[in-house]
Amino acid sequence: MTTQTAPQREEHPRGAVAVEVTGATRVFQGSAGTVTALDGVDLTVGAGEFVSLIGPSGCGKSTLLRLIADLDRPSAGTIEVFGRTAEQARLAHDYGIAFQQAGLLPWRTVRANIELPLAMHGTGRAARRERADYLVELVGLAEFADHYPDQLSGGMQQRVAIARAVAEEPSLLLMDEPFGALDEMTRERLQGELVRICAETRAAVVFVTHSIPEAVFLSDRVVVMSARPGRIREVVDIDLTRAARSDEGLREDAAYFAAVTRVREALHHGSPAPAQGVELR
Amino acid sequence: MTRRLAGAALGLATLVLLAVVWELYKWLGPADGWSIGEARVLPRTSDLAMPHTWEILSRLADPLTAAPGAPSLARAVLAAGAFSFGIALLSWLLGVTVGILLALGMQRLRVVESAVLPLVILSQTIPLIALAPLVRGWGSRLYLGPVEWEPWMSVAVIASYLAFFPVAVGALRGLQSPDTIHVELMRSYGAGWWATLLRLRLPASVPHLLPALRLAAANAVVGTVVAEVATGIPGGLGRMILEFANFASSDPAKPWAPLLGAVLLGLVVAGLVALIGLPLSRFRRVEVSA
Ligand SMILES: Nc1ncnc2c1ncn2[C@@H]1O[C@H](COP(=O)(O)OP(=O)(O)OP(=O)(O)O)[C@@H](O)[C@H]1O
Ligand SMILES: [Mg+2]
């Protein structure tokens, strides 16, 4: 069906809301009692929006991400991804995911690892190959396309994992500390690459991190969480344009530093000592 | 390739070393062996008990019996070895199939694992010798329509009974070996049990499966020969070992020939299983975490 109305440039092809978390609570029953990992969390991530989750260790960041990915189920509350349940979204391959560890299959080459989600969803061989060629180029690993993961450094493996996560051009990317194990230089390079990839694929991103500068550099909004029970303490809007972000000069920009300070204050608000497990660099 | 050649050379060197040790002991050891009380701890070194290695080898070239037109001993041993090889191969295939099916069932359903795994382990405590006559008895009473239960089928069943065990255990460990991160990755792709099996669990199980296949091969060979001895089925190495034992005093080199045949059979089967591993080498790569 075609309409005569003017095209809405702001409209995302998949609708306005990527993730809608309402009253999500997750209680773990352990032998040592119960742990409330998440308590009544509400969060909305717009299509194409980059949202970071930051907070002290154990505040439920990974738990929230796993709920969205339908790798875990909430004890209470609902999660919608592009207007469907999290399970439907998972089965419809609505998201790509990357963890702290690369998690590449050791018996597959770089190229075959990137092709994995495509192969699993029945993309033809030629189309797969073309996409993988493009992606190894994008993450700067063209010469290593036929290498195996054990022949790559940790940073290179992580880049493959990111290429794999975006292979299907998902409208939603879920990332749990994907740069956590990397050195600062590799990390900044990959951050730049991620911004570029997101700009190209217009994907919404939920990004878990421990690093305030990283959160600020990447995000449209930073969600600051507090632990025991896991709750959202504050949401900090970062008003830096995407264009500014792809510019390396941003890291020295005054607006950038102001945003870093705001997130830091939100994190420390109400806690006298610096929050544990958060890098304050 | 050079590593494989080096491996073959090493194997050959081991054989030579074995022959040297044999001759050294024969030369230096006490002629009547060495006993503690009634029990002989070291064997006698007489030419009757331990013929020279070259005598055993040269005996292979001589005719099997004094009868005119008899084939050489080596020929007879090879023929018996080929017969046993056929049964061993069949029982290996049977054992591997059953073992992998059991492992798949156990991986698929926890209940099956807790019900079947203890039985699988228990099954190996029943001695083969006790089993052989039983299987033979059951087999002869089986009605299979036009197919008649042949005695060699009993041998194959008994040998596969030994062969399935390492495969069941090894394959189960292999199928369960993937890390949570990989299992969750598959889940994030919306992959069901089959897709996860093909893309993740089977490839991940290869490093566990290959040693299990090798063990199964050894078990199939031993099981075949022992079951041939236990059931007395003619044609194979087992029966030949039984028969040639009678020549221990009149033709001392002869009883060793079927034993050499059994060693050769083991080597051939081990080599064949090693061939299976060749195209699977990429599945033996291990993950290095970032
Ligand atoms: N499978 C589980 N069983 C029991 N408790 C769990 C489980 N997973 C998480 N928890 C608990 O839930 C809480 C939140 O865990 P979560 O992994 O979400 O924290 P996090 O914010 O990701 O921490 P980190 O920054 O260290 O990764 C923790 O107290 C943890 O002990
Ligand atoms: Mg975490």
Side-chain angles (χ1 to χ4, degrees), chain B:
Chain B
M1 202 62 226
T2 42
R3 252 187 52 206
R4 208 155 291 130
L5 278 180
L10 204 68
L12 212 66
T14 313
L15 277 183
V16 172
L17 188 73
L18 211 66
V20 168
V21 169
W22 174 283
E23 291 299 335
L24 265 183
Y25 175 72
K26 185 172 162 56
W27 183 38
L28 298 173
D32 269 334
W34 190 59
S35 310
I36 301 179
E38 291 292 290
R40 196 188 310 278
V41 183
L42 292 177
R44 281 185 292 232
T45 57
S46 62
D47 282 348
L48 276 184
M50 283 181 74
H52 282 291
T53 44
W54 51 86
E55 274 166 18
I56 298 175
L57 288 180
S58 72
R59 177 65 185 87
L60 284 173
D62 299 339
L64 178 62
T65 58
S72 72
L73 179 61
R75 234 213 170 107
V77 167
L78 282 183
F83 179 85
S84 295
F85 173 77
I87 298 181
L89 196 66
L90 193 74
S91 48
W92 182 79
L93 286 173
L94 202 64
V96 168
T97 310
V98 171
I100 287 181
L101 286 180
L102 276 176
L104 286 175
M106 288 191 279
Q107 193 281 317
R108 182 83 173 89
L109 291 171
R110 253 275 130 69
V111 203
V112 178
E113 182 184 346
S114 29
V116 172
L117 195 55
L119 287 183
V120 167
I121 292 165
L122 204 67
S123 73
Q124 298 303 301
T125 61
I126 303 170
L128 192 63
I129 301 290
L131 204 67
L134 277 178
V135 172
R136 197 170 184 184
W138 292 331
S140 60
R141 264 175 277 130
L142 270 185
Y143 179 71
L144 299 170
V147 189
E148 197 162 338
W149 184 264
E150 305 271 353
W152 63 263
M153 294 181 185
S154 302
V155 174
V157 168
I158 295 164
S160 62
Y161 183 82
L162 278 193
F164 92 95
F165 176 70
V167 178
V169 174
L172 178 63
R173 269 191 53 198
L175 291 174
Q176 290 176 339
S177 66
D179 297 332
T180 319
I181 187 170
H182 289 143
V183 174
E184 292 194 334
L185 190 72
M186 290 295 144
R187 189 175 152 84
S188 83
Y189 294 149
W193 184 76
W194 262 114
T196 308
L197 182 70
L198 287 180
R199 302 283 183 181
L200 178 64
R201 294 197 185 275
L202 279 182
S205 74
V206 168
H208 298 264
L209 201 55
L210 287 180
L213 292 183
R214 220 167 306 150
L215 267 178
N219 281 3
V221 170
V222 171
T224 301
V225 174
V226 172
E228 280 174 353
V229 170
T231 56
I233 283 158
L237 286 171
R239 178 65 171 261
M240 194 176 247
I241 290 171
L242 270 186
E243 284 173 0
F244 286 10
N246 301 328
F247 296 90
S249 49
S250 62
D251 191 355
K254 197 171 175 184
W256 293 97
L259 291 181
L260 274 185
V263 170
L264 186 68
L265 178 59
L267 289 179
V268 167
V269 171
L272 284 180
V273 176
L275 284 183
I276 299 176
L278 288 186
L280 297 176
S281 62
R282 75 190 169 109
F283 295 108
R284 298 164 84 174
R285 289 179 173 274
V286 284
E287 188 183 16
V288 230
S289 56

Side-chain angles (χ1 to χ4, degrees), chain A residues 222-233:
Chain A
V222 176
V223 174
V224 179
M225 298 178 68
S226 62
R228 272 169 290 274
R231 290 198 177 125
I232 291 180
R233 178 183 282 165

Side-chain angles (χ1 to χ4, degrees), chain A residues 61-62 176-177 208:
Chain A
K61 305 180 293 290
S62 298
D176 194 347
E177 299 184 48
V208 173

Side-chain angles (χ1 to χ4, degrees), chain A:
Chain A
M1 202 180 87
T2 51
T3 50
Q4 295 303 312
T5 50
Q8 286 179 293
R9 262 171 296 125
E10 294 306 303
E11 187 70 29
H12 192 275
R14 297 298 307 274
V17 177
V19 181
E20 180 86 67
V21 178
T22 319
T25 298
R26 180 66 170 102
V27 182
F28 288 107
Q29 234 85 22
S31 50
T34 61
V35 178
T36 308
L38 285 178
D39 186 27
V41 167
D42 297 312
L43 176 68
T44 306
V45 179
E49 189 183 19
F50 200 120
V51 172
S52 285
L53 307 179
I54 197 168
S57 188
C59 70
K61 305 180 293 290
S62 298
T63 305
L64 180 54
L65 199 81
R66 291 168 54 82
L67 291 182
I68 299 171
D70 191 44
L71 296 175
D72 193 11
R73 300 268 156 90
S75 315
T78 59
I79 286 136
E80 281 187 10
V81 178
F82 293 112
R84 333 187 218 204
T85 67
E87 184 181 15
Q88 286 167 341
R90 173 174 65 84
L91 294 176
H93 323 135
D94 269 354
Y95 67 80
I97 194 164
F99 305 95
Q100 183 164 9
Q101 262 115 45
L104 305 178
L105 296 182
W107 53 84
R108 285 177 160 255
T109 60
V110 165
R111 182 196 307 283
N113 263 290
I114 295 175
E115 284 182 10
L116 178 66
L118 301 166
M120 301 220 35
H121 298 149
T123 309
R125 184 183 287 265
R128 248 165 33 208
R129 177 147 189 125
E130 194 181 327
R131 181 81 183 133
D133 281 340
Y134 170 75
L135 285 168
V136 287
E137 197 76 50
L138 186 69
V139 296
L141 289 174
E143 305 130 79
F144 295 92
D146 295 314
H147 283 53
Y148 285 90
D150 59 334
Q151 299 167 320
L152 304 181
S153 74
M156 293 155 100
Q157 291 183 31
Q158 202 60 45
R159 279 189 267 168
V160 178
I162 289 166
R164 178 180 66 183
V166 300
E168 293 190 282
E169 297 196 51
S171 314
L172 174 63
L173 262 178
L174 303 174
M175 309 187 111
D176 194 347
E177 299 184 48
F179 308 143
L182 305 180
D183 68 275
E184 196 65 19
M185 263 175 55
T186 314
R187 196 168 169 154
E188 289 194 356
R189 273 229 3 250
L190 289 193
Q191 288 167 2
E193 274 171 25
L194 183 59
V195 165
R196 202 153 45 81
I197 291 169
C198 290
E200 259 173 59
T201 61
R202 296 178 71 202
V205 186
V206 181
F207 189 93
V208 173
T209 178
H210 274 168
S211 158
I212 298 174
E214 179 169 272
V216 170
F217 178 75
L218 292 171
S219 313
D220 299 314
R221 281 191 296 152
V222 176
V223 174
V224 179
M225 298 178 68
S226 62
R228 272 169 290 274
R231 290 198 177 125
I232 291 180
R233 178 183 282 165
E234 206 175 318
V235 179
V236 180
D237 282 306
I238 314 286
D239 14 69
L240 303 165
T241 58
R242 283 241 160 135
R245 251 179 224 119
S246 40
D247 172 19
E248 276 303 305
L250 171 70
R251 292 183 206 269
E252 275 98 52
D253 194 271
Y256 170 75
F257 280 117
V260 167
T261 308
R262 271 186 294 142
V263 174
R264 185 170 295 159
E265 273 166 5
L267 257 173
H268 296 180
H269 169 79
S271 60
Q276 268 189 334
V278 176
E279 295 163 32
L280 298 174
R281 286 171 287 141

